[in-house]
Amino acid sequence: MKSFRPSLAALLVPLALLASACSGASAAGGASNSDGKGSLVLNVGDQKGGSEALLRAAGELDDLPYRVTWSTFTSGPPLLEAVNAKAVDIGSVGNTPPVFAAGAGSKITVIAATHGDSAGEAILVPKDSPLRTAGDLKGKKVAVAQGSSAHFQLVASLAKAGLKLSDVQVTLLQPADALAAFTTGKVDAWAVWDPYTSQVLLSGKGRVLTDGRGVVNGLGFQVASPSALADKEKAKAIGDFVERLRRAQDWVFEHPEEWAKVWAKETGLPYEVALAAVKRSNGTRIPVALDEAAVASEQKIADTFAELKLIPKKFRFADYVDNRFDKDLPPSTTAARSYGKAS
């Protein structure tokens, strides 16, 4: 069987458009409760190959009792800016954007969680790099997107190796720029997430120095506008929307190849990269409760960034959580799903 070796340069453009943990955003329209015909409208913030593609592929957009309008963003932070501005009612983000948003005093509420395998959260080095452990990063240049899940993973991985963030030369770059810097040797390592991790590994140009397993919490969140939650009808629609996303996540795990085809088409990713990312991280997510353990692990992230003065103040993450939609979900520490050796 031929090994798959896509050109990193060829993939730069489609991946620059991909859902990620930190980047720019497209404009979101102003939120409203009605479409002018009496139908309730739920305004959803999304990312390329995100919730809309997922729900459609799983058949969960059929027979909606409300209408959904979608606003597309390239990442979590600007999506949460739209939630704060009431331009969006709900949207999906990773584990770190809510910390930065809450730390800045944004009006957001975390309402649902998933737990996935953290193998896709990785610090990558070139294949021929002499670096072998996180401890070897001392004094080296490391690219990372500020405020991303990878940012905390870098901090935590360094701490585990007995190093501080100040012990490395941090180069703050968004994924497209970081990919270019990584492939041209301008940085020694790149802290990033899937599907970039899968892209680099399948290209044969890099390897994993260390990943997020046992280092980061692997959580992802649905974040809503407090004003939308205060509206009885809209809150009911949000609860229904969250349930549909949970069923769709179950569908993804059971249909990895089918989802990878959809994800590839939506994002421009090669199918092989999409499938690898699904099996490494994307498809492993399981809906979990917003319990004390989840809040505590997010509080650790918040405290870490406050101490580094990367967010303006310390705060209680619990003040930004509403677990009314938890129902009978398993604990947040429940093991992520696995595809066995393939993942």
Side-chain angles (χ1 to χ4, degrees):
M1 181 176 173
K2 279 188 176 180
S3 60
F4 178 73
R5 292 289 183 267
S7 161
L8 287 176
L11 298 183
L12 187 66
V13 174
L15 276 172
L17 299 173
L18 213 84
S20 63
C22 199
S23 195
S26 66
S32 65
N33 280 342
S34 172
D35 61 1
K37 300 178 182 178
S39 298
L40 179 72
V41 175
L42 191 63
N43 300 280
V44 180
D46 198 18
Q47 301 179 41
K48 270 278 191 187
S51 296
E52 182 178 12
L54 175 61
L55 291 167
R56 194 174 303 284
E60 290 291 343
L61 289 183
D62 301 336
D63 303 318
L64 283 173
Y66 46 86
R67 190 166 68 84
V68 175
T69 60
W70 304 91
S71 297
T72 304
F73 301 81
T74 55
S75 69
L79 190 159
L80 293 187
E81 289 174 14
V83 172
N84 177 58
K86 302 179 184 179
V88 164
D89 297 318
I90 185 174
S92 303
V93 296
N95 65 355
T96 304
V99 166
F100 274 75
S106 296
K107 293 180 176 61
I108 62 165
T109 303
V110 177
I111 61 164
T114 59
H115 181 223
D117 194 325
S118 298
E121 296 271 352
I123 297 177
L124 304 173
V125 294
K127 195 170 184 178
D128 59 356
S129 170
L131 307 182
R132 295 295 164 188
T133 69
D136 295 336
L137 290 170
K138 187 171 183 178
K140 303 300 183 182
K141 289 184 179 180
V142 185
V144 68
Q146 180 158 343
S148 66
S149 56
H151 202 165
F152 180 73
Q153 195 250 332
L154 173 61
V155 173
S157 294
L158 290 172
K160 189 176 180 181
L163 299 177
K164 301 189 294 290
L165 196 60
S166 58
D167 288 324
V168 302
Q169 299 179 56
V170 176
T171 303
L172 298 175
L173 294 173
Q174 296 306 314
D177 294 329
L179 177 59
F182 181 81
T183 55
T184 56
K186 292 180 180 178
V187 295
D188 300 295
W190 181 19
V192 73
W193 56 90
D194 252 337
Y196 297 98
T197 298
S198 294
Q199 173 206 9
V200 170
L201 296 180
L202 283 178
S203 74
K205 302 294 185 183
R207 58 180 170 80
V208 174
L209 184 72
T210 185
D211 65 33
R213 286 175 167 170
V215 177
V216 298
N217 61 23
L219 297 176
F221 299 108
Q222 290 296 318
V223 181
S225 162
S227 61
L229 292 170
D231 182 300
K232 186 176 179 181
E233 290 303 311
K234 189 154 277 194
K236 183 179 178 182
I238 287 173
D240 176 80
F241 184 80
V242 167
E243 282 298 311
R244 289 172 185 268
L245 280 173
R246 287 169 179 163
R247 292 195 297 267
Q249 191 63 52
D250 293 339
W251 177 86
V252 164
F253 180 69
E254 295 162 2
H255 303 83
E257 290 85 4
E258 192 172 341
W259 168 236
K261 288 176 184 176
V262 173
W263 198 20
K265 184 178 180 181
E266 289 286 326
T267 61
L269 280 170
Y271 169 74
E272 292 85 352
V273 172
L275 183 60
V278 168
K279 292 192 172 185
R280 181 174 283 109
S281 57
N282 182 276
T284 69
R285 297 168 188 160
I286 182 172
V288 294
L290 273 171
D291 54 18
E292 290 182 4
V295 172
S297 65
E298 287 295 300
Q299 187 66 55
K300 181 180 178 181
I301 296 175
D303 292 344
T304 296
F305 281 116
E307 288 164 10
L308 290 170
K309 301 190 184 306
L310 292 175
I311 58 174
K313 62 181 180 180
K314 285 197 171 186
F315 66 93
R316 289 182 71 250
F317 191 80
D319 293 341
Y320 293 84
V321 173
D322 182 341
N323 63 4
R324 74 174 82 171
F325 303 112
D326 270 6
K327 297 187 177 179
D328 56 352
L329 291 173
S332 62
T333 52
T334 301
R337 290 161 167 153
S338 173
Y339 290 96
K341 291 181 180 179
S343 64

